[in-house]
Amino acid sequence: FFCRNATQRNAMARTATKPDPERQLMIKVKACQRLAKEALYYKQEAQENEAKLTAMKASGEGNIKQQEGVLAESLQMIPHSETMLKKNLEELLTMVQETAAAADAGGDGGEGSEWLVAAKTLLAENGMGDDRANKGGEETTAVDDLKEGEAF
């Protein structure tokens, strides 16, 4: 078929295929790994800057005001990076739950792909462990107290 320009051709090509869930999982796992490293880096940087500021104050040498500003910037980045990590981990948890639900529906009782295993490991390392990742977000409901015909 004939397209007038590359934008039309690219738009048509993009709408023809569904995103590969395995690839999307890989991208999200790598993003979470990067954000975890970034959060750790900012914490280490803040500790180093705090030690440097303490040493500068003790010796009385150097630009203390400038170092205080550097430390303040480092401390501001910690909550931001942790928030981004948490948001992406929650999205990853949702993806893992959806992947597990799809595998259960498809009759695939296996552990899953390498990226699914990596995602579950990453979630466990960050306190969003296997219990949340494997349950698929299901909640249990006590039905003992329900009367016949009553909705829960």
Side-chain angles (χ1 to χ4, degrees):
F1 62 91
F2 177 74
C3 292
R4 293 190 184 267
N5 60 35
T7 305
Q8 287 178 336
R9 192 169 42 250
N10 288 339
M12 293 178 86
R14 277 188 238 130
T15 58
T17 60
K18 289 175 60 176
D20 179 22
E22 181 70 15
R23 186 169 191 275
Q24 297 302 314
L25 187 61
M26 176 196 69
I27 291 168
K28 187 57 75 176
V29 167
K30 287 184 176 186
C32 288
Q33 289 171 337
R34 178 185 51 80
L35 289 167
K37 284 181 184 178
E38 187 175 289
L40 180 64
Y41 171 77
Y42 283 126
K43 288 177 185 176
Q44 290 172 343
E45 183 181 82
Q47 288 174 345
E48 290 170 5
N49 286 334
E50 196 166 4
K52 187 174 180 181
L53 179 62
T54 304
M56 288 173 78
K57 284 181 177 179
S59 69
E61 296 179 10
N63 191 343
I64 295 174
K65 285 279 188 203
Q66 182 180 9
Q67 188 61 32
E68 287 173 342
V70 170
L71 176 60
E73 286 179 25
S74 294
L75 292 173
Q76 286 177 342
M77 291 306 295
I78 293 172
H80 173 73
S81 62
E82 288 176 342
T83 301
M84 292 300 296
L85 175 61
K86 184 178 180 196
K87 176 181 169 262
N88 278 273
L89 285 170
E90 288 170 354
E91 291 172 3
L92 180 62
L93 178 62
T94 301
M95 291 176 80
V96 167
Q97 291 170 343
E98 290 171 356
T99 303
D104 289 345
D108 179 23
E111 180 63 25
S113 70
E114 68 175 294
W115 290 109
L116 183 58
V117 172
K120 288 180 179 181
T121 302
L122 187 61
L123 289 167
E125 289 171 355
N126 287 281
M128 300 178 84
D130 285 340
D131 56 333
R132 289 179 64 188
N134 288 333
K135 284 185 181 176
E138 297 174 4
E139 294 182 29
T140 57
T141 305
V143 292
D144 296 337
D145 298 333
L146 293 177
K147 296 177 181 145
E148 188 173 326
E150 187 177 36
F152 56 93

